Amino acid sequence: MKKIITSLVAAAIFVAATPFNVSQIALADSASSKSKTALLTDQQEEFLDVAAVQAEKSAKKYGVYPSVMLAQAIVESNWGQSELAVNANNLFGMKANDTWTGDKYAKKTREEDANGNSYYITADFRKYATFNDSFNDNGTKLRHGISTDPLFYQKTWIENAPTFHDVTKALTGTYATAHDYYQTLDKRIVDYDLTKYDPQISNAKITYYVKKNGPTYQWPTDHTETDKASTVTSKQKVTVTKTITYYNATQRMYISGQGWINGSCLTKKQPKVSRKLQHNARVYNKKGKVISKKKLKKGTKVNTESNLTKISGKKFYKIGKNKYVKKTAFVK
């Protein structure tokens, strides 16, 4: 993987970060953003093509923003040509703390104190076997925090951060000591249109029905990264208040008061329920008029919609297109 990274970015040129007004770009529409997209060198374009694929996968697994992951990789690794990237597959400047059990790579690095003054130390950094491992470790750090505080980076989680800018601000002073870290990341995100790799997020309130019994989860991550939150039952009516749609069209949805679930577990189509008639029953249309002299026989099992419909103040179950039977006709 070292050779791959080196070949992709050997001639890439690092662009130093400069302060700018993030509010001006955070609200820019896609057309405006596209017109301002910076030109990429061939090496930068190749690096981004490879990095974006893994960023989308890792960001989906850990529930973070791909655009921020990519901006960090660009800044921290100088488009993959930094000493750490080439020799340790470390794209995010991840240090090897006491909990790290893998290989290490020692390197001199610049730090910044509370007053913005620079100083240098020699530190151990994490050395990865592959390019992809670096992305996954970055996702692990953001989602699971540090040993003393698992929620240390919770403001960077996709369910908690309305925009990429909220994430970059949360990383400043926590992930990196540089006081202008968020400006550096924001500029890369805007200059290179990195938000195009982010999932679509909707806060629309929508009614769904559960396809089968199963658990919900605390986070919109892969299930291997989160604890269970609750359970839902087949045909249960639920309200979804947030939907995240990813690059591969899969979705994670938040069920109000119950937790996150894969979109494939829900349906908008109202499920059918088999109900038994306790006496002969007439069939009505949506205006409450009898549509057939022939009655449904007592004991017949009829598939109805799960919810009741009111017609002229009375309760009916819908059994087909413009066909309804009174609730009182069915066994309780």
Side-chain angles (χ1 to χ4, degrees), residues 183-202:
Q183 293 175 314
T184 303
L185 296 180
D186 286 348
K187 181 167 175 57
R188 299 306 182 279
I189 292 171
V190 174
D191 283 354
Y192 301 108
D193 192 25
L194 301 183
T195 55
K196 67 185 178 183
Y197 301 107
D198 288 339
Q200 298 298 310
I201 302 175
S202 170

Side-chain angles (χ1 to χ4, degrees), residues 141-251:
K141 181 175 183 178
L142 297 183
R143 177 54 64 171
H144 297 288
I146 57 180
S147 59
T148 56
D149 185 2
L151 303 180
F152 190 71
Y153 292 108
Q154 63 178 317
K155 290 183 179 180
T156 70
W157 299 349
I158 198 164
E159 68 269 34
N160 294 340
T163 69
F164 71 80
H165 179 60
D166 296 287
V167 178
T168 60
K169 285 287 286 184
L171 290 171
T172 304
T174 54
Y175 192 102
T177 57
H179 68 281
D180 61 349
Y181 191 58
Y182 73 95
Q183 293 175 314
T184 303
L185 296 180
D186 286 348
K187 181 167 175 57
R188 299 306 182 279
I189 292 171
V190 174
D191 283 354
Y192 301 108
D193 192 25
L194 301 183
T195 55
K196 67 185 178 183
Y197 301 107
D198 288 339
Q200 298 298 310
I201 302 175
S202 170
N203 294 310
K205 185 181 292 187
I206 305 174
T207 297
Y208 284 91
Y209 298 90
V210 178
K211 290 183 179 180
K212 62 180 180 179
N213 298 348
T216 59
Y217 297 87
Q218 292 182 2
W219 299 332
T221 62
D222 279 8
H223 297 164
T224 56
E225 304 301 322
T226 178
D227 293 329
K228 293 178 182 179
S230 182
T231 57
V232 288
T233 57
S234 177
K235 301 178 182 179
Q236 179 183 342
K237 182 180 179 181
V238 297
T239 300
V240 167
T241 56
K242 185 183 286 288
T243 301
I244 304 174
T245 304
Y246 287 93
Y247 63 95
N248 58 0
T250 59
Q251 295 179 313

Side-chain angles (χ1 to χ4, degrees), residues 13 15-16 25 30-42 44-45 48 74 79 186-194 196-197:
I13 300 175
V15 182
I25 57 88
S30 59
S32 176
S33 297
K34 186 175 181 180
S35 66
K36 297 178 182 178
T37 299
L39 293 177
L40 294 168
T41 66
D42 289 343
Q44 289 173 339
E45 187 171 358
L48 190 55
I74 290 169
W79 293 91
D186 286 348
K187 181 167 175 57
R188 299 306 182 279
I189 292 171
V190 174
D191 283 354
Y192 301 108
D193 192 25
L194 301 183
K196 67 185 178 183
Y197 301 107

Side-chain angles (χ1 to χ4, degrees), residues 43-60:
Q43 293 76 19
Q44 289 173 339
E45 187 171 358
E46 289 176 16
F47 173 82
L48 190 55
D49 284 345
V50 174
V53 173
Q54 186 59 37
E56 286 182 315
K57 291 179 180 179
S58 296
K60 179 177 180 290

